[in-house]
């Protein structure tokens, strides 16, 4: 996209690819699964045009970022991931500079934990789709979601190394991208073993929504072909290890000014108990400086791509306060 500069920053044992544009206060954009810096294309241009320095990396395991041991999911813990972000900020910001952070999906999880571990580095936070997930003494998320949704649930199917990769290898990269990004159901994603995506069976024609072009799909697919999907899936494979390693952070709060945005049809919003956590005060307890919760009507999971104009306005309105 015009004016976006691409660089490679060598930190924390990785060669981290970043896309950036603009000058001014620094905004760090963190993408989720199965995405790239490119997911923030609309926000990068908009914020750069409004006086901000917008920077979006391909996070560990994705896109043009290299150097990570893809076949070892234990190298994808939250401590590795936040370490990558701190290394990146050390390399490309001024000493003592606080930054704005915007995260979606797994990027939101990274962003919250960056704020928990190193709040002095963050000026304010905007998260999309995923609220803060506090440490739960009852167990990790995989076990709980398996109990709720069964063994065909996508997070559970992602656990065994090589299993989901073998199934997805039967599809071309464009088909994989289309089936993930066009998912619009408020319920969970299922992968019945050997049958592919339940919501879009093998051979089904995928119609692209207006916000996703064939050119967009080609870009995502070209990077998926290059990097593979294991890096992204490793974030799910390390969930239990993250839980085991994070007990010392039980009760930790996110103590930076925060805005949360989701869609009323987002599958995360419809996980059992999620709406109650978000709206009945528990989210506010864990994120004391949570200023606003926005639930956008008719929006699904990939909200920053689906509703770019609305998200851009929400971002600029919030960031300008600081």
């Amino acid at each position: 996209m015009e004016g976006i500069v691409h660089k490679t920053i060598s930190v924390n044992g990785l060669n981290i690819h970043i896309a950036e544009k603009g000058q001014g206060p620094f905004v760090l954009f963190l993408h989720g699964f199965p995405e790239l810096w490119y997911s923030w294309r609309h926000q990068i241009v908009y914020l750069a045009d409004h006086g901000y320095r917008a920077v979006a990396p391909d996070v560990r395991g994705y896109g043009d970022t290299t150097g990570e041991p893809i076949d070892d999911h234990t190298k994808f813990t939250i401590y590795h991931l936040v370490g990558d972000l701190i290394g990146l900020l050390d390399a490309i910001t001024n000493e003592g500079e606080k930054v704005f952070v915007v995260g979606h999906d797994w990027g939101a999880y990274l962003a919250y934990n960056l704020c928990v571990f190193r709040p002095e580095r963050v000026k304010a936070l905007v998260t999309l789709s995923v609220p803060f997930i506090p440490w739960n003494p009852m167990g990790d998320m995989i076990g709980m979601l398996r109990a709720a949704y069964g063994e065909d649930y996508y997070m559970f199917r992602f656990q065994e190394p090589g299993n989901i990769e073998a199934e997805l290898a039967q599809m071309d990269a464009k088909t994989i991208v289309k089936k993930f990004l066009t998912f619009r159901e408020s319920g969970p994603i299922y992968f019945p073993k050997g049958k592919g995506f339940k919501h879009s069976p093998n051979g089904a024609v995928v119609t692209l929504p207006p916000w996703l072009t064939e050119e967009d799909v080609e870009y995502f697919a070209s990077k998926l072909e290059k990097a593979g999907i294991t890096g992204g899936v490793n974030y799910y494979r390390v969930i239990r290890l993250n839980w085991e390693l994070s007990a010392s952070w039980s009760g930790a709060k996110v103590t930076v000014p925060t805005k949360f945005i989701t869609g009323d049809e987002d599958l995360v919003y419809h996980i059992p108990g999620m709406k109650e956590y978000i709206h009945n005060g528990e989210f506010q307890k864990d994120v004391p400086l949570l200023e606003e919760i926005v639930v956008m009507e008719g929006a699904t999971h990939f909200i920053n791509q689906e509703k770019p104009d609305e998200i851009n306005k929400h971002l600029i309105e919030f960031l300008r306060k600081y």
Side-chain angles (χ1 to χ4, degrees):
M1 299 181 71
E2 186 176 353
I4 294 179
V5 176
H6 296 266
K7 300 177 182 177
T8 299
I9 311 296
S10 295
V11 296
N12 206 24
L14 306 184
N15 301 306
I16 299 179
H17 166 251
I18 65 170
E20 72 168 292
K21 184 179 183 182
Q23 298 295 325
F26 189 107
V27 185
L28 178 67
F29 289 97
L30 302 173
H31 69 82
F33 176 87
E35 303 179 89
L36 300 165
W37 74 269
Y38 189 79
S39 305
W40 298 108
R41 58 198 179 278
H42 306 295
Q43 288 73 40
I44 291 171
V45 171
Y46 182 85
L47 286 184
D49 289 347
H50 285 78
Y52 291 85
R53 180 187 178 192
V55 176
D58 288 333
V59 297
R60 176 179 290 238
Y62 285 91
D64 289 324
T65 289
T66 61
E68 63 276 40
I70 291 293
D71 293 331
D72 184 357
H73 68 271
T74 68
K75 296 299 189 288
F76 284 75
T77 72
I78 189 59
Y79 301 100
H80 292 89
L81 300 172
V82 173
D84 296 343
L85 301 181
I86 292 298
L88 180 62
L89 293 178
D90 285 347
I92 63 175
T93 64
N94 298 319
E95 185 174 355
E97 181 181 0
K98 285 191 169 188
V99 305
F100 295 110
V101 182
V102 183
H104 168 254
D105 187 75
W106 275 104
Y109 175 74
L110 269 62
Y112 289 123
N113 282 280
L114 173 61
C115 294
V116 169
F117 299 163
R118 299 296 299 274
E120 81 282 1
R121 303 300 295 266
V122 181
K123 190 180 298 184
L125 171 67
V126 180
T127 53
L128 312 181
S129 178
V130 175
F132 181 64
I133 308 296
W135 190 83
N136 188 336
M138 300 301 292
D140 67 276
M141 188 191 314
I142 293 296
M144 295 179 180
L145 291 174
R146 180 189 179 189
Y149 292 138
E151 295 191 359
D152 287 343
Y153 181 58
Y154 80 105
M155 286 193 191
F156 185 73
R157 289 294 322 285
F158 283 3
Q159 294 305 301
E160 183 182 340
N163 186 295
I164 203 68
E165 290 93 332
E167 289 204 25
L168 291 176
Q170 300 174 34
M171 307 176 198
D172 62 82
K174 285 186 183 179
T175 298
I176 294 169
V177 169
K178 288 179 179 180
K179 286 180 182 289
F180 272 119
L181 295 187
T182 62
F183 183 82
R184 290 196 59 85
E185 298 176 19
S186 58
I189 298 175
Y190 288 111
F191 276 98
K193 198 162 188 175
K195 298 181 180 178
F197 294 81
K198 184 177 180 181
H199 72 276
S200 182
N202 294 338
V205 177
V206 180
T207 302
L208 296 184
W211 56 267
L212 186 68
T213 68
E214 286 289 349
E215 183 181 11
D216 296 332
V217 170
E218 287 176 9
Y219 186 85
F220 281 115
S222 70
K223 302 305 178 182
L224 181 60
E225 287 177 341
K226 175 184 175 183
I229 203 163
T230 300
V233 171
N234 281 341
Y235 287 60
Y236 297 89
R237 290 181 178 148
V238 82
I239 286 175
R240 179 163 182 82
L241 180 58
N242 276 333
W243 178 79
E244 292 175 357
L245 295 174
S246 300
S248 60
W249 293 96
S250 176
K253 310 291 185 185
V254 175
T255 57
V256 303
T258 301
K259 181 173 186 171
F260 175 70
I261 307 169
T262 191
D264 67 349
E265 297 178 16
D266 190 317
L267 74 167
V268 178
Y269 191 57
H270 290 269
I271 289 175
M274 191 64 75
K275 290 180 186 178
E276 291 78 11
Y277 172 76
I278 291 171
H279 296 294
N280 291 354
E282 293 303 311
F283 189 16
Q284 185 78 62
K285 288 180 184 177
D286 292 328
V287 187
L289 299 182
L290 179 63
E291 295 189 8
E292 188 178 3
I293 296 170
V294 177
V295 181
M296 293 175 57
E297 186 176 350
T300 56
H301 184 65
F302 298 101
I303 193 169
N304 47 319
Q305 298 185 73
E306 182 182 353
K307 303 284 186 181
D309 293 341
E310 293 93 327
I311 294 298
N312 291 343
K313 290 174 184 176
H314 278 297
L315 289 177
I316 202 77
E317 176 187 79
F318 184 69
L319 300 186
R320 279 177 170 167
K321 295 179 180 180
Y322 305 97

